[in-house]
Amino acid sequence: MLIATIIFIPILLTILSSFIKKVKILGMVNAFGYLALLAAFVFFMKDFLAKGSSAVSLWGWIYVDSLSVFFLFTTAVVSFAASVYSIGYIRQEVENSEISVRKASGYFQLFNLFSFTMLMVPVLNNLALIWIAIEMTTLISAFLVGFHNVKESIEAAWKYIVICSVGIAFALLGIIFFYYTSSKDAGVKSLEWASMLSGSGAFDPKIVKLALIFILVGFGTKAGLAPMHNWLPDAHSQALSPVSGLLSGVLIKISLYAMLRFVMLANLSVGYAFSAKIFVFFGIVSIVIAGAFILVQKDLKRLLAYSTVENIGLVSLALGLGPCGGIFAGLLQAFNHAVTKALMFFCAGEAVRAYHGNSMSRMQGMIKVAPFAGTAMFLGLFALVGMPPFSIFVSKLMILISVFNGKHYLLAAIILAFIAMAFAGLLHHISKVVLGNKPNAAQVRKEPLSAKIALVFLGIFILWFGLNIPKPFFDLLVSCERLILGT
Amino acid sequence: MMINFLLSGFLVVTFLLVIAKRVTALIRAFMAQAIFLFLYTLYMGFSQLHMELFIVCGLILVLKVIAIPFMLKRIVRRINVEEDLGLLINPQVSMVIALVFTYLSYIFARHTMALTDFAHSAAFIVSLTTVCVGFFLMVSRMKALSQVIGLLVMENGIFLAAGAIAGGMPFFVEIALFFDVFVFIIILEVFVYKVNRLFTHIDTSKMKSLKG
């Protein structure tokens, strides 16, 4: 029951945001709503883990197991941070008269609907409904990408909606293949998770392989895996900064969730090895392409977007090395990346505001212009590239260990080379933005309190998970790993 | 007999989509395809006598045969879109490519799916061809509107595939899919207007401000 009420908090907030007319109060109410969501969810998670992580199913519509809980937790954390960050961000947009008050309430409505669709994906029982929820995330967030209604943002939104919809159409074809083999070979005429899983041993391996290719390519497009990543740098760079954080932190992870669900379904008939090969392939391509593009970026938010491609590539690679202990590392990396990248996008939002534009050539000495966000960005940079004591260091190290465990030495060499390249690129670009003398045109600005709170909140997670992964979270990841490998 | 007629009609209309040079012709061909999809589902409804299939039929009629072509025509009227589609690949070559798609779908259906029933495998071949053609329309025509239609054509193909190989999706899934298509077309309409207002054209090949 609790889980159903948690999911509907954003709907309640959507309705509320059409009634409140003052932007500041609107933002506060919104943030408190997400705080309640996060608190209720942590409560639910405690209960869930205490009962031995057994799946919860409700009314035939809802099915929540460890994997769902993990992705819900990621969503809840990042969307809380984004809602807090939105308070000051949207208020300043209104004060600078970039948007009207009416449009600001439209923003909060879309924001809530977007979180609602993202929260729906991990809890739905029916695989086709998961597909529909993912398509809805695209359709709603397209408005948030094209929010400013200028040429660049509309172009990005158009590309985003068309490329992701095509990708997802292929995924639907894959789902139909799954349904075909499940009704013909296993006699299960249903797309419900538990019944399909129980029949999955009897699936026809040939059709499952085919279906899996369609699904991994289709949802992989939405997950931002190269070479289908073209929409991602455009959309992430044009969206409002709180939304960029959500897109990069959560949206692409949600597609990863859908991919994993189907991989689990295919395990009994074709084994994990088949999907692992596809994961490794996409992982390497993403890391290589992102590494190369990071070096030549001129736009701060595009730089961060390419770093997202690199990180999702690492996650995919780790999932591909599943049997050598990669799944744990991959999921941990997914969470760490979500938190760190949200932090970086929020800092980038402050930078864009201070220097009036995304171009890095005009940005210098951010630490003097916006001391708090500048410092956070500098620390976040080290977290992002994987320096200790921050959390991505731990998960990256675990991924490398699993590469070596699998004795893929050539692979390890390639990955290390391109990770180093991305490291150098990010360090070069962002240290230029943060350090140095401030240009005369830039004024020292007063940073909104809400931005500081959001950054500190995310920073706590980055440091905490770097020093010591909490026991309940560790257990959750272990049980996810068991679920995915089907052991 | 009847099923052969319907599937051939569907295939012919799919080829018409490929050779259309003008926006209105493309919309008309899309509408004709939706009519064949409607008739096919109606035929299935009569042969299986499922109440649910008739409801799906009604939805296809309302949404795909009437509402979507109407909306597409309204877009064309409102933004005075130039008739020319901007073909990157000319109709003759496009037609050959569509035939290659059909042949590949045939090979694919024979070797992987092991469909025994003739009607089912024919429907599956036609549906796969349609999916490929939809994708082809999206990448080889410059107008933003043709990308929308390409996606809708792909959707038609997937719908036919579901009917052909799996005997249709579970009922509420189909309803949800209709809802999805409905929302999708409305949102794309909004975006086509926005693109037109800002760029003063709907030529996607000229959208190049974002790079790298």
Side-chain angles (χ1 to χ4, degrees):
Chain A
M1 271 313 280
L2 184 60
I3 192 77
T5 40
I6 291 171
I7 304 302
F8 278 97
I9 289 177
I11 288 288
L12 190 72
L13 290 171
T14 311
I15 299 167
L16 269 180
S17 46
S18 359
F19 290 112
I20 303 172
K21 293 285 175 262
K22 283 199 72 170
V23 178
K24 198 177 168 189
I25 297 174
L26 187 57
M28 302 269 263
V29 168
N30 210 43
F32 275 112
Y34 282 93
L35 183 63
L37 191 150
L38 182 62
F41 185 73
V42 168
F43 187 68
F44 170 81
M45 196 160 86
K46 234 177 104 190
D47 199 42
F48 177 83
L49 289 170
K51 282 181 188 157
S53 317
S54 55
V56 179
S57 72
L58 262 182
W59 313 313
W61 291 87
I62 289 177
Y63 181 91
V64 178
D65 58 9
S66 308
L67 197 64
S68 319
V69 169
F70 169 75
F71 282 93
L72 283 170
F73 180 63
T74 312
T75 316
V77 168
V78 178
S79 49
F80 168 64
S83 72
V84 172
Y85 181 67
S86 295
I87 303 174
Y89 190 87
I90 294 298
R91 204 190 64 225
Q92 289 191 342
E93 291 255 305
V94 174
E95 278 168 7
N96 299 350
S97 54
E98 282 172 62
I99 57 172
S100 62
V101 176
R102 222 180 114 220
K103 199 151 184 205
S105 80
Y107 166 80
F108 283 108
Q109 285 167 0
L110 285 168
F111 181 94
N112 286 314
L113 281 177
F114 183 38
S115 323
F116 171 70
T117 48
M118 288 199 297
L119 288 167
M120 280 305 268
V121 176
V123 302
L124 283 169
N125 185 12
N126 188 299
L127 292 171
L129 291 185
I130 289 179
W131 181 88
I132 288 170
I134 289 185
E135 173 70 9
M136 286 296 152
T137 58
T138 312
L139 295 176
I140 291 167
S141 53
F143 283 111
L144 288 167
V145 172
F147 194 70
H148 277 306
N149 275 333
V150 293
K151 265 192 177 186
E152 287 84 11
S153 67
I154 291 294
E155 180 184 335
W158 180 264
K159 273 189 195 163
Y160 170 47
I161 204 167
V162 168
I163 295 177
C164 287
S165 298
V166 172
I168 247 176
F170 282 119
L172 181 61
L173 203 58
I175 294 177
I176 287 172
F177 286 139
F178 260 116
Y179 184 61
Y180 165 65
T181 176
S182 130
S183 57
K184 181 169 152 275
D185 299 319
V188 181
K189 250 187 132 20
S190 151
L191 276 161
E192 264 158 34
W193 174 248
S195 44
M196 275 190 100
L197 192 65
S198 65
S200 71
F203 288 0
D204 181 353
K206 211 157 60 175
I207 293 175
V208 167
K209 279 184 183 174
L210 197 75
L212 210 55
I213 292 173
F214 275 111
I215 281 172
L216 294 187
V217 170
F219 286 129
T221 308
K222 193 77 194 290
L225 287 169
M228 302 87 73
H229 69 289
N230 304 46
W231 62 273
L232 190 143
D234 297 346
H236 286 32
S237 68
Q238 292 303 320
L240 300 177
S241 287
V243 178
S244 297
L246 271 185
L247 285 175
S248 199
V250 191
L251 178 86
I252 59 176
K253 310 291 169 8
I254 288 293
S255 314
L256 207 66
Y257 166 83
M259 288 158 89
L260 284 173
R261 276 270 172 244
F262 285 97
V263 167
M264 281 158 76
L265 209 52
N267 270 353
L268 278 177
S269 52
V270 295
Y272 195 78
F274 180 75
S275 27
K277 272 182 213 148
I278 308 179
F279 273 133
V280 169
F281 171 77
F282 283 138
I284 296 172
V285 176
S286 304
I287 294 170
V288 169
I289 288 186
F293 274 94
I294 281 175
L295 287 181
V296 298
Q297 285 310 305
K298 295 191 178 69
D299 176 318
L300 177 61
K301 286 181 83 184
R302 287 183 87 83
L303 177 76
L304 293 177
Y306 274 108
S307 150
T308 298
V309 176
E310 188 217 345
N311 275 287
I312 196 80
L314 273 171
V315 173
S316 167
L317 177 81
L319 292 173
L321 298 164
C324 327
I327 289 175
F328 183 96
L331 292 177
L332 186 60
Q333 168 82 4
F335 177 78
N336 291 341
H337 170 250
V339 177
T340 315
K341 192 47 70 64
L343 175 107
M344 288 304 272
F345 267 120
F346 295 169
C347 293
E350 292 302 299
V352 169
R353 178 129 304 148
Y355 295 96
H356 309 288
N358 285 359
S359 165
M360 283 190 287
S361 61
R362 276 187 293 175
M363 294 177 180
Q364 226 185 4
M366 185 181 165
I367 209 152
K368 288 178 188 141
V369 178
F372 195 90
T375 316
M377 181 128 124
F378 204 54
L379 292 175
L381 165 69
F382 287 108
L384 190 63
V385 294
M387 297 283 269
F390 301 113
S391 57
I392 286 187
F393 169 71
V394 179
S395 46
K396 258 189 185 164
L397 191 65
M398 284 165 81
I399 292 173
L400 280 173
I401 290 172
S402 63
V403 177
F404 282 111
N405 270 349
K407 299 202 165 44
H408 307 287
Y409 298 116
L410 179 67
L411 194 64
I414 297 173
I415 294 160
L416 280 171
F418 279 91
I419 288 181
M421 207 159 129
F423 178 102
L426 282 166
L427 200 65
H428 169 75
H429 289 304
I430 294 183
S431 59
K432 267 212 300 214
V433 169
V434 176
L435 304 174
N437 287 322
K438 80 178 179 73
N440 293 331
Q443 286 164 346
V444 178
R445 48 192 302 279
K446 199 173 165 294
E447 295 158 83
L449 179 67
S450 61
K452 289 181 186 167
I453 296 174
L455 294 177
V456 168
F457 174 74
L458 291 171
I460 288 172
F461 273 97
I462 294 172
L463 202 59
W464 181 14
F465 282 64
L467 296 174
N468 173 30
I469 301 168
K471 182 84 173 67
F473 193 76
F474 189 90
D475 294 341
L476 182 69
L477 285 179
V478 170
S479 98
C480 284
E481 181 166 2
R482 270 200 217 110
L483 265 182
I484 292 171
L485 288 173
T487 50
Chain B
M1 218 22 235
M2 190 61 191
I3 201 97
N4 282 354
F5 168 73
L6 290 175
L7 288 173
S8 330
F10 201 100
L11 193 61
V12 169
V13 171
T14 306
F15 290 150
L16 281 182
L17 282 164
V18 172
I19 58 170
K21 271 186 188 164
R22 292 176 304 121
V23 175
T24 38
L26 195 66
I27 296 174
R28 260 204 304 277
F30 172 76
M31 192 174 164
Q33 189 180 51
I35 290 173
F36 275 107
L37 187 66
F38 163 71
L39 290 174
Y40 177 82
T41 319
L42 193 67
Y43 179 79
M44 282 298 181
F46 276 115
S47 59
Q48 294 176 11
L49 287 177
H50 265 313
M51 195 54 216
E52 293 170 354
L53 271 173
F54 290 111
I55 298 174
V56 171
C57 245
L59 284 170
I60 293 178
L61 185 69
V62 172
L63 190 69
K64 291 190 172 168
V65 180
I66 300 168
I68 291 179
F70 171 77
M71 283 164 107
L72 293 171
K73 278 180 196 157
R74 192 175 60 182
I75 294 175
V76 173
R77 225 179 22 247
R78 275 207 197 156
I79 61 181
N80 285 323
V81 54
E82 275 175 73
E83 276 286 270
D84 196 26
L85 265 177
L87 279 67
L88 294 174
I89 298 173
N90 71 30
Q92 289 79 13
V93 178
S94 305
M95 184 70 198
V96 174
I97 291 173
L99 285 170
V100 172
F101 285 150
T102 318
Y103 180 69
L104 290 178
S105 309
Y106 165 73
I107 303 263
F108 182 80
R110 263 190 71 178
H111 290 282
T112 46
M113 300 304 280
L115 290 163
T116 42
D117 188 357
F118 173 77
H120 281 180
S121 66
F124 181 64
I125 294 165
V126 173
S127 66
L128 267 193
T129 311
T130 313
V131 172
C132 295
V133 163
F135 188 61
F136 173 73
L137 283 177
M138 294 186 70
V139 295
S140 69
R141 305 289 182 263
M142 285 178 219
K143 287 278 146 60
L145 211 54
S146 56
Q147 292 180 348
V148 178
I149 295 175
L151 255 173
L152 290 167
V153 168
M154 278 178 86
E155 221 274 337
N156 276 352
I158 291 169
F159 211 84
L160 186 66
I165 61 171
M169 303 286 257
F171 182 60
F172 73 92
V173 173
E174 294 208 13
I175 300 296
L177 280 178
F178 273 110
F179 172 71
D180 175 67
V181 173
F182 184 63
V183 174
F184 175 76
I185 185 77
I186 289 177
I187 287 175
L188 273 175
E189 190 183 3
V190 173
F191 273 99
V192 170
Y193 287 140
K194 284 186 178 178
V195 168
N196 184 56
R197 200 175 60 236
L198 289 165
F199 290 81
T200 63
H201 61 73
I202 54 166
D203 217 337
T204 46
S205 63
K206 289 182 195 148
M207 284 190 185
K208 277 186 183 143
S209 54
L210 297 170
K211 266 194 182 151

